Amino acid sequence: MDSARPHERPTAFDRMLTPVHRWIWSDTDRRVQKLLRFSETETDGGRDILRAAEVTPDPLLRRLYLEHAIDEFRHGVLFRHRAAELLKISASRSNPGFHGDWLAPGGHGLDDVEVDGESDSDMLAFLHLSEKAAASRFTVYRDVMQHDPPTRAVFEEILHDETFHMNYTLMQLARVEPKWHGRHLWWARLSRLWKAYLRLATGLAGILGSMLLTIQYFVLLPPFAWLAKRAAHRERSGWTMVSPGHSDSLDRQY
Ligand SMILES: [Fe+2]
Ligand SMILES: [Fe+2]
């Protein structure tokens, strides 16, 4: 681990996943895809923070949010430009039909915050935790990017901003909510945990649903198909004479 400043230390969980991250980032195509997704995430985050700047009644927060939003938009551009550079290298090497696949938009996976319904303290607590998580992960990504110095430099630059965002949001939370800022942080942590659980549960529900439908298809459907075939064999082909007594009534179809 090199040059980790005091506030850029990754969490134990992120450190534990370092070999996985190293493997993921080792492939150029996967790197392009991830950088494009990160670019979307950063730009989306910038939009939310811009909205927060519009709705906050606090002049200092408005200024800080605006600077923060500009930083996030810049991060989006940095990631996109680096992805474009890698895409050129990757395309010229081996795979000319590569562009369309990776440029398809993907889900960004961040917790979107409902800015309009949030108080400044809730917004600051949410932002602090998000920036802290981003700083932790980006530290690991920077450290596993030894084989790609330009991408590593992008992470290094963005990490510097994320650390500033993480610190200013905590300081401002302590300013606007001197007594209860710890409570707001815990509430934001619980909210993130709940959203993480919902994402996990939704993913599991999708897998279980697919499994159940597959089982139904192969176990329940064949007997019905067999019965339908057997019934079809019993039917006489062509026109069938109806006995005179069955066609007297004009009130019904049969
Ligand atoms: Fe960012
Ligand atoms: Fe940030």
Side-chain angles (χ1 to χ4, degrees), residues 27-30 32-33 83 86-88 90-91 94-103:
D27 182 79
T28 310
D29 294 351
R30 269 200 302 270
V32 171
Q33 190 185 38
L86 284 171
L87 198 59
K88 277 184 212 159
S90 174
S94 60
N95 193 352
F98 172 73
H99 295 244
D101 294 336
W102 298 127
L103 288 174

Side-chain angles (χ1 to χ4, degrees), residues 42 49 68 71-72 75 131 134 158 161-163 165-166:
E42 297 283 326
I49 295 162
H68 189 162
D71 281 348
E72 300 300 351
H75 297 170
E131 299 293 337
I158 291 176
D161 289 345
E162 305 300 15
T163 309
H165 299 157
M166 181 182 90

Side-chain angles (χ1 to χ4, degrees), residues 5-90:
R5 284 183 283 245
H7 295 293
E8 297 174 12
R9 292 209 178 94
T11 61
F13 182 70
D14 286 332
R15 268 204 311 272
M16 195 178 74
L17 290 178
T18 300
V20 178
H21 292 309
R22 185 169 285 119
W23 174 77
I24 289 171
W25 288 99
S26 64
D27 182 79
T28 310
D29 294 351
R30 269 200 302 270
R31 218 175 312 150
V32 171
Q33 190 185 38
K34 284 191 79 68
L35 289 172
L36 286 173
R37 282 184 184 159
F38 283 11
S39 170
E40 283 175 30
T41 304
E42 297 283 326
T43 310
D44 281 353
R47 265 187 227 113
D48 287 339
I49 295 162
L50 197 58
R51 180 63 187 150
E54 285 174 349
V55 298
T56 182
D58 187 316
L60 176 58
L61 280 184
R62 187 172 305 122
R63 193 167 65 79
L64 286 165
Y65 283 159
L66 274 175
E67 286 179 15
H68 189 162
I70 291 166
D71 281 348
E72 300 300 351
F73 286 128
R74 195 169 61 84
H75 297 170
V77 172
L78 281 170
F79 278 135
R80 198 164 56 249
H81 283 178
R82 183 60 198 143
E85 284 168 9
L86 284 171
L87 198 59
K88 277 184 212 159
I89 299 166
S90 174

